[in-house]
Amino acid sequence: MQKDITIYDIAKQLQLSPATVSRALNDHPAINHNTKAIITSKALELGYRSNMFASNLRRQRTNTIGVIVPRLDSAFMSTVLSGMEKVANEGNYNLIISQSLESIRKEVANAKTMFDSRVDGLLVSLASDTENLDHFSTFFKKGIPLILFDRVMTQNYCTSIVIDNLKAGYDATNHLIEQGCRRIMHVSGSLKRNVYADRLKGYRLALLDHGLPGGRELERANNLTRQDGLDIAEYIKSMPNPPDGLFIASDFCAVTCMGALKQSGFSIPNDLAVVGFNDDPVSLVIDPGLTTIHYPGQEMGEIAAQSLINHLTGLLRLSTTNTILLNYELIVRGSSQRYS
Amino acid sequence: MQKDITIYDIAKQLQLSPATVSRALNDHPAINHNTKAIITSKALELGYRSNMFASNLRRQRTNTIGVIVPRLDSAFMSTVLSGMEKVANEGNYNLIISQSLESIRKEVANAKTMFDSRVDGLLVSLASDTENLDHFSTFFKKGIPLILFDRVMTQNYCTSIVIDNLKAGYDATNHLIEQGCRRIMHVSGSLKRNVYADRLKGYRLALLDHGLPGGRELERANNLTRQDGLDIAEYIKSMPNPPDGLFIASDFCAVTCMGALKQSGFSIPNDLAVVGFNDDPVSLVIDPGLTTIHYPGQEMGEIAAQSLINHLTGLLRLSTTNTILLNYELIVRGSSQRYS
DNA sequence: TTGTACGCGTTATCAG
DNA sequence: CTGATAACGCGTACAA
């Protein structure tokens, strides 16, 4: 546990001033090439590493980005995080990651921690019961940029990165209609969240456009867990007039529901055509493969992080009302393909 | 973008010295209850937040834990991280997370970043091609604790948290034998990693104990990806004398392999009984359900983080040669159950 | 129980 | 191009 090397040590050994050393190490233009070379080599020799705290304290910024996600243990989120980590790492930023566990209470606490950690910026995907962005007001006040991704809130303070969930919901439903479905059910999650609310809207709109029946009997909202998938299967089996199309806002839930229905003798896609959402790896595991909406988690993470970094470095000053819309793609697989 | 409140501001307003304020805020015993109350309430009123950098700079520690994992986008890893985040958060530590993407090169870079970020401790699961721990020697030298989890390396410098992969591999194989399999194939990952090498050893041992045939034809090592699962299915179909039992060291790979074999007319478990590893959610999606080894990711993360924190706070000084062994569980599902 | 004064390692300013 | 010096905000030895 020996002492750290500082710029003073280097300065002393080289008979230079600490200031010069500091500048050289930061590649300051106004430093002689020679001395710069001498200093960097000496630094290497002594195993010098810059003290981020001193530097942060002095510069009043941290090169750290805070991330708050609903859950870490989700296939989609982990691809998003993977993308963020990649970009952050390349941009010489650290990531502080925390999860709200779908609870506003924890989200508030996380926000506070992030604030106290003095992150340079924040990337957030909202918990399912978050109603407003008040807990981020401290950030807004201090001009710390906040970018929302995936589960966003249409508000005028911050940039959002999303897909067009309404259109995607429409497309998913429309696809079922094209496959001949006439009675289509939709299962969504917390309607406080844009992702689910919009998909539902898209679903309704598609039905409307084609003069198909909808209504409460055909709409369910739950937490999209495994158990919810099983429950939906039970519900469908109990319906006097069961649907011939099913659009579930999450693959994992869709897949378990499908499994249960298959076991009960439903033929998929003939009795019931199914479409999920997310292109979770499981959609390829089930037989037949699950038709789904693919949207690029990795890319969403990369773009979110990159936008934030660009903003921080002043490369690209995002208007605070900006929304970045990513493309999605309907991936048709066996669970919905009646005519090939 | 107004200026931050410091202890000086509080001190001035209260006609006290900054030292007293600092002590009060840190709950120092030698401070009058009254003044303490006055100070904390004033701090709250002014919206004071401690400056971690100044504090870290002063105290020479960061309350930050570094985590390096092979991949963020893995079901298992994300449960582990979830556990770590929970404990770290409760213990007032921040997590800096990065991924090696299974590459030693990136792992080395990550280690350096962590070192420069002056993390108080490190939690690491090794990349698939890591050969030694030399890139962590800087940590050892400075006495910064390093805990390895899941993919560990038996070395005398640091604590490891694992399950008994050999025994688990043995149990998995033994289960297949009990179900009447006589020709059992095993698919593993990088044999540089304990997790795969040990499972393979367990497999071999079980065969040996029961006088069953093994050998190169029945052992495959790959990256356990989706594609690898499909390849294995092809391989099995091409075998003149195909196996009647299959033990794959990762669920996701097992599940895709199973799917492909089913499509080719294999009856599971009758023609071929299958066992996976990890209890990934997908193991419940496939039909029949995949028999697997469950091991507690969340718990592993919690224990890793807690051990590190205990060590840091001096609550529990782990011997550096310690190994913590977690329990695992064989979960029997339809993919291997021939007799019920 | 409280105050004084210094140093943690950098970087920015100003001067040369 | 380089040097001296003053912060950044906090914690703590020492003094009172």
Side-chain angles (χ1 to χ4, degrees), chain A residues 18 26 185 216 226 237 281 316-317 330:
Chain A
N26 288 317
M185 178 168 169
R216 295 185 54 175
R226 192 183 134 65
K237 285 194 284 180
L316 175 69
R317 190 137 295 271
L330 176 72

mmCIF file with all atom_site columns, all heavy atoms in Angstrom, chain A residues 18 26 185 216 226 237 281 316-317 330:
data_model
loop_
_atom_site.group_PDB
_atom_site.id
_atom_site.type_symbol
_atom_site.label_atom_id
_atom_site.label_alt_id
_atom_site.label_comp_id
_atom_site.label_asym_id
_atom_site.label_entity_id
_atom_site.label_seq_id
_atom_site.pdbx_PDB_ins_code
_atom_site.Cartn_x
_atom_site.Cartn_y
_atom_site.Cartn_z
_atom_site.occupancy
_atom_site.B_iso_or_equiv
_atom_site.pdbx_formal_charge
_atom_site.auth_seq_id
_atom_site.auth_comp_id
_atom_site.auth_asym_id
_atom_site.auth_atom_id
_atom_site.pdbx_PDB_model_num
ATOM 1  N N   . PRO A 1 18  ? 4.894   21.829  -11.336 1.00 0.00 ? 18  PRO A N   1
ATOM 2  C CA  . PRO A 1 18  ? 3.706   20.975  -11.442 1.00 0.00 ? 18  PRO A CA  1
ATOM 3  C C   . PRO A 1 18  ? 2.773   21.445  -12.549 1.00 0.00 ? 18  PRO A C   1
ATOM 4  O O   . PRO A 1 18  ? 2.145   20.630  -13.227 1.00 0.00 ? 18  PRO A O   1
ATOM 5  C CB  . PRO A 1 18  ? 3.042   21.138  -10.081 1.00 0.00 ? 18  PRO A CB  1
ATOM 6  C CG  . PRO A 1 18  ? 4.115   21.588  -9.165  1.00 0.00 ? 18  PRO A CG  1
ATOM 7  C CD  . PRO A 1 18  ? 5.116   22.334  -9.981  1.00 0.00 ? 18  PRO A CD  1
ATOM 8  N N   . ASN A 1 26  ? -2.094  16.766  -20.015 1.00 0.00 ? 26  ASN A N   1
ATOM 9  C CA  . ASN A 1 26  ? -3.395  17.019  -20.636 1.00 0.00 ? 26  ASN A CA  1
ATOM 10 C C   . ASN A 1 26  ? -3.265  17.465  -22.078 1.00 0.00 ? 26  ASN A C   1
ATOM 11 O O   . ASN A 1 26  ? -4.217  17.946  -22.679 1.00 0.00 ? 26  ASN A O   1
ATOM 12 C CB  . ASN A 1 26  ? -4.158  18.067  -19.843 1.00 0.00 ? 26  ASN A CB  1
ATOM 13 C CG  . ASN A 1 26  ? -4.645  17.519  -18.538 1.00 0.00 ? 26  ASN A CG  1
ATOM 14 O OD1 . ASN A 1 26  ? -5.142  16.400  -18.480 1.00 0.00 ? 26  ASN A OD1 1
ATOM 15 N ND2 . ASN A 1 26  ? -4.461  18.279  -17.477 1.00 0.00 ? 26  ASN A ND2 1
ATOM 16 N N   . MET A 1 185 ? -57.262 -9.730  -29.627 1.00 0.00 ? 185 MET A N   1
ATOM 17 C CA  . MET A 1 185 ? -57.119 -9.317  -28.234 1.00 0.00 ? 185 MET A CA  1
ATOM 18 C C   . MET A 1 185 ? -55.759 -8.658  -28.032 1.00 0.00 ? 185 MET A C   1
ATOM 19 O O   . MET A 1 185 ? -54.792 -8.980  -28.720 1.00 0.00 ? 185 MET A O   1
ATOM 20 C CB  . MET A 1 185 ? -57.231 -10.564 -27.362 1.00 0.00 ? 185 MET A CB  1
ATOM 21 C CG  . MET A 1 185 ? -57.066 -10.296 -25.899 1.00 0.00 ? 185 MET A CG  1
ATOM 22 S SD  . MET A 1 185 ? -57.573 -11.743 -24.933 1.00 0.00 ? 185 MET A SD  1
ATOM 23 C CE  . MET A 1 185 ? -56.948 -11.228 -23.334 1.00 0.00 ? 185 MET A CE  1
ATOM 24 N N   . ARG A 1 216 ? -63.581 -3.738  -23.882 1.00 0.00 ? 216 ARG A N   1
ATOM 25 C CA  . ARG A 1 216 ? -62.920 -4.135  -22.629 1.00 0.00 ? 216 ARG A CA  1
ATOM 26 C C   . ARG A 1 216 ? -62.615 -5.616  -22.561 1.00 0.00 ? 216 ARG A C   1
ATOM 27 O O   . ARG A 1 216 ? -61.622 -6.036  -22.003 1.00 0.00 ? 216 ARG A O   1
ATOM 28 C CB  . ARG A 1 216 ? -63.808 -3.747  -21.453 1.00 0.00 ? 216 ARG A CB  1
ATOM 29 C CG  . ARG A 1 216 ? -63.976 -2.232  -21.343 1.00 0.00 ? 216 ARG A CG  1
ATOM 30 C CD  . ARG A 1 216 ? -64.758 -1.876  -20.113 1.00 0.00 ? 216 ARG A CD  1
ATOM 31 N NE  . ARG A 1 216 ? -64.172 -2.467  -18.918 1.00 0.00 ? 216 ARG A NE  1
ATOM 32 C CZ  . ARG A 1 216 ? -64.601 -2.229  -17.696 1.00 0.00 ? 216 ARG A CZ  1
ATOM 33 N NH1 . ARG A 1 216 ? -65.603 -1.393  -17.508 1.00 0.00 ? 216 ARG A NH1 1
ATOM 34 N NH2 . ARG A 1 216 ? -64.035 -2.808  -16.649 1.00 0.00 ? 216 ARG A NH2 1
ATOM 35 N N   . ARG A 1 226 ? -44.402 -13.778 -16.392 1.00 0.00 ? 226 ARG A N   1
ATOM 36 C CA  . ARG A 1 226 ? -44.672 -15.157 -16.758 1.00 0.00 ? 226 ARG A CA  1
ATOM 37 C C   . ARG A 1 226 ? -46.068 -15.573 -16.270 1.00 0.00 ? 226 ARG A C   1
ATOM 38 O O   . ARG A 1 226 ? -46.863 -16.131 -17.020 1.00 0.00 ? 226 ARG A O   1
ATOM 39 C CB  . ARG A 1 226 ? -43.606 -16.027 -16.084 1.00 0.00 ? 226 ARG A CB  1
ATOM 40 C CG  . ARG A 1 226 ? -43.549 -17.433 -16.548 1.00 0.00 ? 226 ARG A CG  1
ATOM 41 C CD  . ARG A 1 226 ? -42.525 -18.234 -15.767 1.00 0.00 ? 226 ARG A CD  1
ATOM 42 N NE  . ARG A 1 226 ? -43.140 -19.505 -15.399 1.00 0.00 ? 226 ARG A NE  1
ATOM 43 C CZ  . ARG A 1 226 ? -43.501 -20.401 -16.287 1.00 0.00 ? 226 ARG A CZ  1
ATOM 44 N NH1 . ARG A 1 226 ? -43.306 -20.203 -17.565 1.00 0.00 ? 226 ARG A NH1 1
ATOM 45 N NH2 . ARG A 1 226 ? -44.091 -21.537 -15.910 1.00 0.00 ? 226 ARG A NH2 1
ATOM 46 N N   . LYS A 1 237 ? -59.086 -19.216 -22.565 1.00 0.00 ? 237 LYS A N   1
ATOM 47 C CA  . LYS A 1 237 ? -59.784 -20.507 -22.590 1.00 0.00 ? 237 LYS A CA  1
ATOM 48 C C   . LYS A 1 237 ? -61.194 -20.373 -22.039 1.00 0.00 ? 237 LYS A C   1
ATOM 49 O O   . LYS A 1 237 ? -62.111 -21.090 -22.430 1.00 0.00 ? 237 LYS A O   1
ATOM 50 C CB  . LYS A 1 237 ? -58.991 -21.540 -21.769 1.00 0.00 ? 237 LYS A CB  1
ATOM 51 C CG  . LYS A 1 237 ? -57.751 -22.033 -22.512 1.00 0.00 ? 237 LYS A CG  1
ATOM 52 C CD  . LYS A 1 237 ? -57.169 -23.273 -21.857 1.00 0.00 ? 237 LYS A CD  1
ATOM 53 C CE  . LYS A 1 237 ? -56.424 -22.912 -20.588 1.00 0.00 ? 237 LYS A CE  1
ATOM 54 N NZ  . LYS A 1 237 ? -55.843 -24.095 -19.933 1.00 0.00 ? 237 LYS A NZ  1
ATOM 55 N N   . PRO A 1 281 ? -34.858 -12.935 -27.195 1.00 0.00 ? 281 PRO A N   1
ATOM 56 C CA  . PRO A 1 281 ? -34.348 -14.217 -27.682 1.00 0.00 ? 281 PRO A CA  1
ATOM 57 C C   . PRO A 1 281 ? -35.348 -15.365 -27.564 1.00 0.00 ? 281 PRO A C   1
ATOM 58 O O   . PRO A 1 281 ? -35.353 -16.287 -28.378 1.00 0.00 ? 281 PRO A O   1
ATOM 59 C CB  . PRO A 1 281 ? -33.133 -14.468 -26.783 1.00 0.00 ? 281 PRO A CB  1
ATOM 60 C CG  . PRO A 1 281 ? -32.673 -13.135 -26.368 1.00 0.00 ? 281 PRO A CG  1
ATOM 61 C CD  . PRO A 1 281 ? -33.882 -12.242 -26.363 1.00 0.00 ? 281 PRO A CD  1
ATOM 62 N N   . LEU A 1 316 ? -22.953 18.738  -29.950 1.00 0.00 ? 316 LEU A N   1
ATOM 63 C CA  . LEU A 1 316 ? -24.292 18.806  -30.520 1.00 0.00 ? 316 LEU A CA  1
ATOM 64 C C   . LEU A 1 316 ? -25.234 19.262  -29.435 1.00 0.00 ? 316 LEU A C   1
ATOM 65 O O   . LEU A 1 316 ? -25.480 18.535  -28.481 1.00 0.00 ? 316 LEU A O   1
ATOM 66 C CB  . LEU A 1 316 ? -24.711 17.411  -31.011 1.00 0.00 ? 316 LEU A CB  1
ATOM 67 C CG  . LEU A 1 316 ? -26.140 17.308  -31.519 1.00 0.00 ? 316 LEU A CG  1
ATOM 68 C CD1 . LEU A 1 316 ? -26.284 18.077  -32.811 1.00 0.00 ? 316 LEU A CD1 1
ATOM 69 C CD2 . LEU A 1 316 ? -26.502 15.843  -31.720 1.00 0.00 ? 316 LEU A CD2 1
ATOM 70 N N   . ARG A 1 317 ? -25.699 20.462  -29.553 1.00 0.00 ? 317 ARG A N   1
ATOM 71 C CA  . ARG A 1 317 ? -26.577 20.973  -28.516 1.00 0.00 ? 317 ARG A CA  1
ATOM 72 C C   . ARG A 1 317 ? -28.019 20.606  -28.833 1.00 0.00 ? 317 ARG A C   1
ATOM 73 O O   . ARG A 1 317 ? -28.650 21.197  -29.689 1.00 0.00 ? 317 ARG A O   1
ATOM 74 C CB  . ARG A 1 317 ? -26.402 22.496  -28.384 1.00 0.00 ? 317 ARG A CB  1
ATOM 75 C CG  . ARG A 1 317 ? -27.091 23.081  -27.169 1.00 0.00 ? 317 ARG A CG  1
ATOM 76 C CD  . ARG A 1 317 ? -26.215 24.093  -26.468 1.00 0.00 ? 317 ARG A CD  1
ATOM 77 N NE  . ARG A 1 317 ? -25.035 23.475  -25.904 1.00 0.00 ? 317 ARG A NE  1
ATOM 78 C CZ  . ARG A 1 317 ? -24.978 22.966  -24.669 1.00 0.00 ? 317 ARG A CZ  1
ATOM 79 N NH1 . ARG A 1 317 ? -26.014 23.032  -23.880 1.00 0.00 ? 317 ARG A NH1 1
ATOM 80 N NH2 . ARG A 1 317 ? -23.882 22.416  -24.216 1.00 0.00 ? 317 ARG A NH2 1
ATOM 81 N N   . LEU A 1 330 ? -41.185 -5.148  -38.012 1.00 0.00 ? 330 LEU A N   1
ATOM 82 C CA  . LEU A 1 330 ? -42.055 -6.284  -37.728 1.00 0.00 ? 330 LEU A CA  1
ATOM 83 C C   . LEU A 1 330 ? -41.379 -7.538  -38.252 1.00 0.00 ? 330 LEU A C   1
ATOM 84 O O   . LEU A 1 330 ? -41.051 -7.626  -39.437 1.00 0.00 ? 330 LEU A O   1
ATOM 85 C CB  . LEU A 1 330 ? -43.412 -6.100  -38.417 1.00 0.00 ? 330 LEU A CB  1
ATOM 86 C CG  . LEU A 1 330 ? -44.380 -7.279  -38.269 1.00 0.00 ? 330 LEU A CG  1
ATOM 87 C CD1 . LEU A 1 330 ? -44.932 -7.361  -36.852 1.00 0.00 ? 330 LEU A CD1 1
ATOM 88 C CD2 . LEU A 1 330 ? -45.519 -7.180  -39.280 1.00 0.00 ? 330 LEU A CD2 1
#
